[in-house]
Amino acid sequence: MAGPPRRSHPDDSQAFVQLCLLTQNPLKRHPRGTYKVAGEGAAKGEVYLDDGHTFLYRDKREFCLRSFRMLAAHLRCRAAGEVGNYQCGAAVRSVDILGLRAEPSAVRVHAAGGAEGVSVEFEYDPEQRKLSIGNLELAVDDDWDIQIC
């Protein structure tokens, strides 16, 4: 006799994470990053930004190199290996995660140094197995986490 269907934790599926980044300069292209989350629930990728027209990235280390990593239902934004000193002004406006097997009960954003997270609204489409988190304003320059509960 079969038991009740198993409710999957959001991190035990194969998924794609897509970040929508917007810069303050309307003349710059808006970079997008898409990172594949493997079956183990881990993924990583980097975003590099600079002023786009000078050599200050080389001469004065004016660039922003950030690492995005998803592990165990946490998406983290941190400085990558080399830390530049460019304030890129880019923000993560939305995050889409495809392949989640079950709707999370909550999604929380934790800012750098903040012990308590803030609950954010999200939408879950069970047919596409897609989690959409919008209305975010997370600075790429800052450290933050998104926790999927």
Side-chain angles (χ1 to χ4, degrees):
M1 180 174 189
R6 180 177 168 264
R7 181 172 168 100
S8 300
H9 193 273
D11 69 345
D12 71 354
S13 62
Q14 194 161 30
F16 289 90
V17 177
Q18 179 171 310
L19 306 171
C20 178
L21 306 179
L22 296 180
T23 61
Q24 291 179 341
N25 183 345
L27 300 176
K28 287 187 179 181
R29 290 187 333 189
H30 302 303
R32 289 184 170 281
T34 302
Y35 310 110
K36 183 177 186 220
V37 177
E40 298 85 35
K44 61 183 175 178
E46 293 180 343
V47 172
Y48 172 89
L49 298 166
D50 64 22
D51 67 10
H53 63 277
T54 69
F55 291 101
L56 292 175
Y57 71 91
R58 180 189 67 200
D59 300 337
K60 294 187 178 183
R61 300 182 58 82
E62 290 190 10
F63 62 88
C64 178
L65 181 60
R66 301 297 289 180
S67 172
F68 294 89
R69 181 176 177 152
M70 185 156 180
L71 180 63
H74 281 81
L75 176 63
R76 294 181 164 213
C77 175
R78 298 287 187 271
E82 290 188 63
V83 179
N85 59 13
Y86 178 65
Q87 296 298 310
C88 63
V92 173
R93 303 291 301 272
S94 65
V95 175
D96 292 325
I97 302 172
L98 302 175
L100 295 183
R101 295 180 185 170
E103 181 173 0
S105 59
V107 175
R108 299 181 63 80
V109 174
H110 299 267
E116 289 219 14
V118 176
S119 290
V120 294
E121 292 184 22
F122 63 90
E123 292 180 14
Y124 180 74
D125 181 338
E127 288 183 21
Q128 295 183 9
R129 295 173 26 181
K130 177 181 177 181
L131 175 67
S132 297
I133 309 163
N135 297 321
L136 298 172
E137 219 28 74
L138 301 172
V140 173
D141 305 295
D142 295 337
D143 292 348
W144 47 261
D145 298 342
I146 295 176
Q147 179 183 9
I148 303 166
C149 305

